[in-house]
Amino acid sequence: MPQGFYDAEMSRKQEALAATPDMQAQRRVILDHLALKPGEAVLDIGSGNGIMARDMLGIVGHSGSVTGLDAAEPMIAMARALCPGGKFVQGDACELPFDDDSFDVVTAAQLLCFLPDPEAALREMRRVLRPDGRLVILDTDWGSLVWNARDPDLMAKAMRIYIRPYADAYLPRTLSRRLSAAGFAVTARETLTVLNWTPGPDNYAHLTASFMESIMAAAADFSDEDWRRWQDDQKAVAEAGDYMFSLNRYIFDARPI
């Protein structure tokens, strides 16, 4: 992820995204996969604004613990305010500042796709996870995106620019192999589809467009006129009743071997 990508503005947009019904549903699915128990020690890597940590802390209780790690200081500050019962550390997923065998559960959502060396992060997850622990990872394959547009070439150009901050926008395709190489056995896989039939204002597609606005503003090869045409195109699609946004995310459950 580019240095400073999650500044204060992007962090606020991330907070709004986390509050959408789509992301609330995603957190419920992740919690189902985590199958947390009271007293467990959990590590949430890429913990963001702390909403997921707060949900997990409500399950593991006072006898357990939830530790969040994030590279972005604005996210750490947000998480500490939102989940005062958790412990939040700014750090690098590829060099975790924790002892071996420290956690019963490790989870990471929308993290590995941003890392230049996801294998190093997976090895670190394996190191800090207890031998009988479990790992749950969620990531997106942006090649699965269906976002209806009257000008598909303009949409394709916009999405090529939008995914530039990702080190690997298609990571789930190779994650099974990478987990195995890091010392994990994959025990389950599930597809989670984010599907919006209207453009907002409180759904994932609407907030994705908000992120796009910030990214396109900094892109030399996407002009203000391009952005205006993209917005007009989406408005026309919605007014015609043809709006559709569909994106697949993938959840992997794994255990150390």
Side-chain angles (χ1 to χ4, degrees):
M1 183 185 312
Q3 183 70 26
F5 178 73
Y6 274 124
D7 57 14
E9 178 190 359
M10 293 297 276
S11 296
R12 286 192 295 270
K13 290 184 177 183
Q14 184 70 22
E15 183 179 26
L17 181 67
T20 64
D22 297 308
M23 293 301 96
Q24 292 178 34
Q26 175 178 293
R27 290 195 295 276
R28 288 194 294 270
V29 172
I30 292 173
L31 287 172
D32 286 345
H33 279 256
L34 291 171
L36 298 175
K37 306 176 187 67
E40 289 190 312
V42 185
L43 173 62
D44 184 11
I45 308 176
S47 50
N49 60 15
I51 290 180
M52 189 71 197
R54 184 181 62 185
D55 292 345
M56 294 189 291
L57 193 59
I59 300 173
V60 301
H62 295 297
S63 61
S65 66
V66 175
T67 301
L69 180 136
D70 204 282
E73 179 55 38
M75 288 297 192
I76 294 292
M78 205 177 290
R80 287 171 177 162
L82 188 66
C83 181
K87 176 184 177 182
F88 296 94
V89 179
Q90 186 176 12
D92 185 347
C94 296
E95 296 182 9
L96 295 175
F98 309 112
D99 293 336
D100 296 357
D101 304 334
S102 295
F103 299 97
D104 300 298
V105 181
V106 174
T107 186
Q110 287 298 105
L111 169 77
L112 294 179
C113 57
F114 286 112
L115 302 181
D117 190 358
E119 287 83 1
L122 289 170
R123 290 193 296 270
E124 281 291 271
M125 293 177 196
R126 175 66 181 82
R127 179 183 66 80
V128 302
L129 193 60
R130 291 170 181 155
D132 59 348
R134 54 199 187 277
L135 173 71
V136 175
I137 290 178
L138 176 143
D139 225 309
T140 299
D141 186 331
W142 281 93
S144 71
L145 176 68
V146 178
W147 199 343
N148 194 24
R150 293 189 170 186
D151 187 340
D153 291 337
L154 181 62
M155 176 63 83
K157 178 181 179 181
M159 294 314 302
R160 284 195 299 271
I161 295 170
Y162 180 76
I163 65 175
R164 281 178 185 167
Y166 292 82
D168 185 350
Y170 316 102
L171 182 130
R173 304 180 191 191
T174 58
L175 186 53
S176 294
R177 169 178 55 80
R178 287 168 158 169
L179 283 165
S180 178
F184 290 99
V186 177
T187 58
R189 303 173 185 88
E190 181 180 346
T191 304
L192 174 65
T193 301
V194 179
L195 180 60
N196 297 153
W197 295 104
T198 63
D202 63 343
N203 60 21
Y204 186 90
H206 177 78
L207 270 299
T208 297
S210 177
F211 276 99
M212 287 177 68
E213 184 174 13
S214 297
I215 293 172
M216 300 310 173
D221 50 347
F222 203 84
S223 67
D224 292 343
E225 175 61 18
D226 287 334
W227 179 244
R228 184 194 63 76
R229 290 194 300 116
W230 188 90
Q231 290 179 302
D232 289 346
D233 181 274
Q234 286 299 289
K235 185 181 296 184
V237 169
E239 289 175 351
D242 293 332
Y243 193 88
M244 180 185 177
F245 176 101
S246 177
L247 180 67
N248 284 348
R249 295 184 153 178
Y250 299 88
I251 303 174
F252 293 73
D253 297 359
R255 292 182 179 273
I257 52 175

